[in-house]
Amino acid sequence: MATLTLSQLDKNYGAFHAVKGIDLDVADGEFVALVGPSGCGKSTTLRMIAGLEDITGGDIRIGDRVVNDLAPRARNISMVFQSYALYPHMTVGENMGFTLKIAGRDKAEIDAAVAEAARALEITQLLDRRPAQLSGGQRQRVAMGRAIVRDPDVFLFDEPLSNLDAKLRGQMRTEIKQLHARLKATVVYVTHDQVEAMTLADRIVIMKDGNIEQVGTPDEVFNQPASQFVAGFIGSPPMNMADAVTTATGLRFANGLELPMPPGFNVAEGRKVVFGLRPDDLYPEGHGIHSEGGHAVTTMDLTVDLSEPLGNETLLFVDLADKRFTGRMLNPRRVTPGEVMTFHLDLSNAHLFDADSGLSLR
Ligand code: ATP
């Protein structure tokens, strides 16, 4: 295995600047997820690392080798695609061993490597089948088996689970996590599914318009988002946000509502900001998700417009500062639309962003 370093990596498609000089260090054995909205440059970045796309500028290093001009095969990378890309006329075993075969390895060595990868992925019983005789999840496992067999320096995954149904996706997510723990592989994993990114990755890279917005652990990008964009992208349901202006003591919203200044912010009076509060931090009295000990909690009566029972919790929609805010209620009970409930707002967990730049003011 090896480190992977991107330095000022750039990609133009004609006049279109798809990746804008990004820097990223991936440690040996680290699992990094690239996330961001459609078109932000995730796949282009991955394909440049793989050598499937020329780079316009910058450097890609694997270990201490600059691989910019190396052919994909010479980079010692394995890539797992969304489409699996299995050869239909070959058996599972032949698919898995194919790259070793064209690399000229002898049959005994190939058979041993295929058998070991098949054991790791529990697909030994499928080795003689052809791809058409497999389920979607089994095909995905074969595609991963083919990647493992090569014992690469770096694994690249391009939305590998997006063709699977929700249940299978959950199962495969667990398997990828276990596999990573066992192989201690260096992984770059592209996904638009933030749950996948949060559960699998050591660090998450959030991209927007060809730039990196933030790199951090799942905990950092969730609890300390560097920008309004990251705050809105990570977390489900998304963070509630409303425009406000700072006053001498706190925040004033467009409808006249005032709130105390959230702890930890030191913002001059009269500044335009965006106030952010996660649904977890807006809850009816006695139904909180976090402990309130030592937290600055503000209490107010709010009318519930709508509720969505989810079994173990209920989402509540209320109007706050003329915006629809989502709250969360643990230990749910029935709520009728129009009911007025006393809510707690945990301002110690609130966020403030500059209204113009979108950057966090913490
Ligand atoms: P998605 O989640 O939809 O796959 P992405 O973040 O992976 O999106 P990329 O596929 O990396 O996005 O594309 C980044 C941008 O580059 C997009 O605006 C896309 O239209 C553009 N692009 C990608 N490939 C080409 C190409 N061959 N020629 C021109 N533009 C391209």
Side-chain angles (χ1 to χ4, degrees):
M1 286 301 150
T3 57
L4 169 71
T5 309
L6 311 182
S7 313
Q8 290 296 301
L9 185 63
D10 224 66
K11 178 68 185 181
N12 287 320
Y13 291 111
F16 181 71
H17 206 174
V19 176
K20 299 174 180 165
I22 60 171
D23 293 307
L24 181 67
D25 284 314
V26 183
D28 186 12
E30 190 178 23
F31 195 123
V32 164
L34 298 187
V35 302
S38 185
C40 69
K42 309 180 290 289
S43 297
T44 300
T45 301
L46 203 70
R47 291 171 60 81
M48 286 194 285
I49 298 169
L52 300 173
E53 199 76 71
D54 289 338
I55 70 175
T56 308
D59 279 323
I60 301 171
R61 277 195 187 74
I62 296 173
D64 41 24
R65 284 192 309 165
V66 174
V67 301
N68 297 1
D69 301 318
L70 290 186
R73 197 175 300 163
R75 296 187 183 200
N76 202 21
I77 273 177
S78 275
M79 186 149 167
V80 179
F81 297 91
Q82 178 178 348
S83 60
Y84 319 138
L86 301 177
Y87 298 109
H89 59 286
M90 291 185 195
T91 64
V92 165
E94 288 164 349
N95 262 287
M96 286 170 64
F98 187 64
T99 48
L100 296 184
K101 189 171 170 190
I102 51 177
R105 308 283 184 83
D106 65 57
K107 187 169 180 315
E109 188 189 347
I110 298 173
D111 288 348
V114 168
E116 191 187 329
R119 237 189 338 268
L121 288 156
E122 296 175 8
I123 50 174
T124 304
Q125 75 287 7
L126 304 178
L127 284 175
D128 294 327
R129 293 211 200 155
R130 288 182 204 281
Q133 300 166 304
L134 302 176
S135 71
Q138 289 169 335
R139 273 178 222 169
Q140 186 54 58
R141 228 169 278 199
V142 174
M144 290 206 291
R146 188 175 52 181
I148 296 174
V149 156
R150 296 177 53 197
D151 191 22
D153 286 331
V154 179
F155 282 97
L156 305 177
F157 289 89
D158 194 2
E159 308 231 11
L161 307 185
S162 52
N163 284 343
L164 305 178
D165 66 41
K167 183 160 173 248
L168 202 51
R169 213 158 52 220
Q171 271 173 21
M172 289 301 290
R173 204 166 66 210
T174 312
E175 290 192 14
I176 291 177
K177 198 170 174 104
Q178 285 168 343
L179 201 63
H180 178 250
R182 196 159 63 228
L183 298 178
K184 305 209 173 6
T186 307
V187 175
V188 182
Y189 189 104
V190 165
T191 178
H192 63 264
D193 180 340
Q194 52 152 312
V195 177
E196 247 168 71
M198 294 291 275
T199 51
L200 285 172
D202 297 313
R203 284 190 305 155
I204 298 179
V205 177
I206 295 125
M207 293 186 69
K208 181 192 174 202
D209 299 335
N211 289 306
I212 291 179
E213 281 271 313
Q214 186 172 3
V215 182
T217 63
D219 178 62
E220 282 164 353
V221 297
F222 186 83
N223 290 310
Q224 299 157 46
S227 65
Q228 190 183 342
F229 175 80
V230 173
F233 193 79
I234 299 285
S236 177
M239 186 185 286
N240 299 295
M241 298 201 197
D243 293 333
V245 176
T246 56
T247 65
T249 54
L251 303 169
R252 186 168 49 239
F253 294 85
N255 68 345
L257 171 75
E258 303 219 6
L259 286 179
M261 182 61 81
F265 293 96
N266 186 8
V267 185
E269 194 177 341
R271 186 157 180 181
K272 286 187 189 164
V273 298
V274 176
F275 167 78
L277 191 70
R278 293 218 182 265
D280 292 355
D281 301 313
L282 174 66
Y283 49 86
E285 204 165 25
H287 291 268
I289 285 171
H290 302 308
S291 120
E292 291 179 4
H295 279 219
V297 174
T298 282
T299 301
M300 63 175 72
D301 289 342
L302 295 168
T303 307
V304 177
D305 298 329
L306 198 73
S307 67
E308 279 184 2
L310 298 172
N312 59 336
E313 63 175 19
T314 295
L315 299 181
L316 302 172
F317 301 96
V318 297
D319 179 285
L320 193 114
D322 289 340
K323 287 269 185 185
R324 172 171 272 195
F325 269 47
T326 308
R328 250 189 171 133
M329 174 166 68
L330 273 195
N331 313 315
R333 63 167 180 78
R334 263 191 98 74
V335 180
T336 28
E339 184 175 336
V340 177
M341 300 178 82
T342 302
F343 276 83
H344 283 183
L345 284 70
D346 188 342
L347 295 184
S348 293
N349 293 338
H351 299 264
L352 289 184
F353 306 97
D354 182 82
D356 295 321
S357 68
L359 295 179
S360 171
L361 292 170
R362 195 178 284 283

